[in-house]
Amino acid sequence: MSETGSISSATQSNPPLKDTTIESTNLDSVDTVASPVPTQGISADTNTDAATTTAPAEEVTIPKVTEANVEHRFLLSLREAAALIGKKGATIKRIREDNDVKIAINASSPLCTDRILQCNGSIENVSKAIVDCLKVIKENVNKPTKPFSFSFLNSLMSKPTTSDFKNVKTDEDLENVQSIRLILSTSMIGAVIGKNGNIIKKLMEDHDVRIVASKRQLPDSFERILEIQGLANEIAECLTVVSHIVLANRVIDPKGERRYVPHAEKHARNNNNTNTKKYTGSVVVPEKYVGTLIGVKGSRINNLRSFTNTEINIVNFKDEATNENKSRFTIVGKYEKNVKTAESMLIRNLEAERVKSKNREARTGGKKSDNQADTNVSKKGDAVNASTPIAVEF
């Protein structure tokens, strides 16, 4: 399997299976977080108004299988994927050879901000390979300073602290805390959680990790994210147990378990197509006022373009009816409101200039009159009452 080998997906469209999650508080309402809960004695998370002791928990048995191979898929950011591939694929090749696994990252897709790491091999070797992957990411990828646009890449739990782990005692240890985003079907998520969350709680207690099961399914699929957070070796040990759970609950014919394939979400794909409709309007201006409306070196018209976020093109023509030279200011914009605003401001300023011109002519004794500005407005009600013209600076 090559470094950029594509990953196939099923295309069934049966309704998703029932989503089994664990109640949580003070965290993102979109996802479900399972927090470590002591099985006996005094609970550190117990509300003071509730009972402070709990009965011994029912013993949880996690299945073990003898099958040799397991296949896991993990969600990666583009930077994580690039680091794992390495120069000319050298890094992922080394991980493959050192751990005797089949490992590949799907080819990148346009407008897509995520990729998938697929790893196949013995349970033990796959876990070791993931430890190597985490080391590469820690050494080569800085922690993100802002959220990813694809929300599933963002951590589903609160920022880790030393109080969240038994083996993380210092801030230096905290720097070594990492996460993996394991992709599992909805039914498999339920198997990992267990009845009343008993399995996922045991996983966290036994392996000193935090685990989040997302409520939302990945786009166009019946798969979700299981985020496991902790030290690399602890994550690997937890993943080993999860592998046994996955194999023990594997569906031979997974109808309806449509797999996730990285691609731009619908809203992202349509980004280039939104607001493709153009609204237009125009104002016809006598030649004598064109220069004033444009401004020195185009300053006024440029300000109008910027203020209304529209395109304004000016075309000179000769009015056959009046034999006068005029200019047509054509306004084009993505939003009707912006086009109307630009039209209104042009008309108001034009009428203000006409009043100023008439006042100057009156002072000089001239009785010249000029034609009213012709306007061609795209929608009814766009015309502006010019009986009391107001100059709007732009």
Side-chain angles (χ1 to χ4, degrees):
M1 186 180 293
S2 63
E3 285 72 24
T4 58
S6 61
I7 299 174
S8 62
S9 65
T11 59
Q12 291 88 341
S13 58
N14 294 354
L17 301 178
K18 184 177 180 181
D19 189 347
T20 306
T21 52
I22 299 176
E23 296 296 329
S24 63
T25 57
N26 298 327
L27 285 164
D28 189 349
S29 60
V30 173
D31 301 290
T32 298
V33 178
S35 301
V37 178
T39 57
Q40 59 184 1
I42 298 176
S43 170
D45 297 328
T46 303
N47 189 303
T48 54
D49 296 329
T52 57
T53 61
T54 58
E58 181 182 350
E59 184 176 350
V60 179
T61 302
I62 294 179
K64 287 191 177 181
V65 297
T66 57
E67 294 184 50
N69 288 349
V70 67
E71 178 182 282
H72 282 311
R73 296 160 70 237
F74 304 88
L75 190 69
L76 301 175
S77 68
L78 297 183
R79 289 188 177 181
E80 290 168 344
L84 290 175
I85 293 172
K87 189 174 182 180
K88 297 182 179 180
T91 302
I92 200 167
K93 181 180 179 182
R94 173 178 57 79
I95 294 174
R96 179 186 300 118
E97 293 174 351
D98 289 351
N99 298 283
D100 190 24
V101 293
K102 295 179 180 179
I103 187 169
I105 296 175
N106 74 300
S108 59
S109 303
L111 300 178
C112 184
T113 58
D114 62 294
R115 299 175 74 174
I116 287 181
L117 171 72
Q118 182 170 309
C119 189
N120 184 300
S122 70
I123 292 176
E124 182 181 357
N125 289 353
V126 167
S127 295
K128 288 180 179 178
I130 295 306
V131 171
D132 287 349
C133 289
L134 288 171
K135 289 179 180 178
V136 170
I137 290 173
K138 185 177 186 305
E139 293 171 359
N140 296 277
V141 181
N142 294 328
K143 292 183 178 180
T145 56
K146 59 182 181 180
F148 292 100
S149 58
F150 185 58
S151 61
F152 288 93
L153 290 171
N154 299 315
S155 179
L156 304 176
M157 60 187 84
S158 59
K159 186 177 180 180
T161 64
T162 54
S163 61
D164 294 322
F165 308 94
K166 292 178 287 187
N167 297 326
V168 178
K169 303 183 183 303
T170 66
D171 289 342
E172 185 178 352
D173 293 337
L174 201 57
E175 288 297 316
N176 294 321
V177 171
Q178 294 177 269
S179 297
I180 60 171
R181 311 177 194 93
L182 179 61
I183 300 175
L184 294 175
S185 66
T186 295
S187 60
M188 203 60 71
I189 289 283
V192 174
I193 291 174
K195 185 178 180 180
N196 296 323
N198 58 355
I199 293 180
I200 200 171
K201 291 175 185 177
K202 181 173 175 58
L203 289 173
M204 290 187 290
E205 293 165 6
D206 290 351
H207 304 288
D208 196 27
V209 294
R210 294 202 297 172
I211 303 177
V212 175
S214 69
K215 283 184 178 179
R216 292 182 302 149
Q217 294 173 336
L218 287 157
D220 300 326
S221 78
F222 296 149
E223 293 187 307
R224 294 155 59 189
I225 295 293
L226 186 75
E227 182 178 352
I228 305 174
Q229 184 184 84
L231 300 176
N233 289 332
E234 303 286 359
I235 290 175
E237 291 178 7
C238 181
L239 181 62
T240 296
V241 180
V242 170
S243 297
H244 283 281
I245 297 172
V246 167
L247 291 176
N249 292 275
R250 184 177 57 182
V251 179
I252 303 300
D253 184 19
K255 291 183 178 179
E257 301 282 338
R258 186 169 57 202
R259 303 180 89 185
Y260 171 67
V261 178
H263 62 284
E265 289 191 86
K266 290 180 181 179
H267 67 81
R269 288 201 304 268
N270 292 335
N271 253 359
N272 294 332
N273 297 324
T274 56
N275 296 323
T276 53
K277 182 177 180 181
K278 299 288 186 181
Y279 294 89
T280 61
S282 65
V283 177
V284 176
V285 180
E287 184 182 39
K288 64 184 292 186
Y289 302 118
V290 172
T292 303
L293 294 180
I294 292 176
V296 179
K297 296 183 180 180
S299 58
R300 296 188 74 188
I301 200 67
N302 286 337
N303 286 340
L304 180 59
R305 290 183 179 119
S306 177
F307 180 76
T308 59
N309 194 24
T310 58
E311 298 176 13
I312 302 177
N313 301 311
I314 304 170
V315 177
N316 300 325
F317 70 98
K318 189 166 185 126
D319 190 338
E320 297 289 343
T322 62
N323 201 33
E324 292 181 347
N325 292 325
K326 297 182 179 180
S327 293
R328 184 182 302 277
F329 287 60
T330 302
I331 307 160
V332 181
K334 293 182 179 180
Y335 303 100
E336 184 179 15
K337 179 180 179 181
N338 291 3
V339 172
K340 287 183 176 181
T341 299
E343 285 178 330
S344 176
M345 293 177 74
L346 271 173
I347 293 171
R348 289 185 183 185
N349 280 275
L350 173 59
E351 295 300 325
E353 293 301 326
R354 290 184 63 257
V355 170
K356 289 180 183 179
S357 177
K358 287 183 177 180
N359 289 339
R360 284 194 297 269
E361 291 174 1
R363 288 195 299 270
T364 58
K367 298 296 182 182
K368 293 182 180 180
S369 64
D370 58 275
N371 296 326
Q372 294 285 337
D374 298 319
T375 63
N376 177 20
V377 181
S378 57
K379 298 285 186 294
K380 290 183 178 180
D382 288 344
V384 176
N385 186 350
S387 59
T388 54
I390 303 174
V392 181
E393 290 299 329
F394 52 82

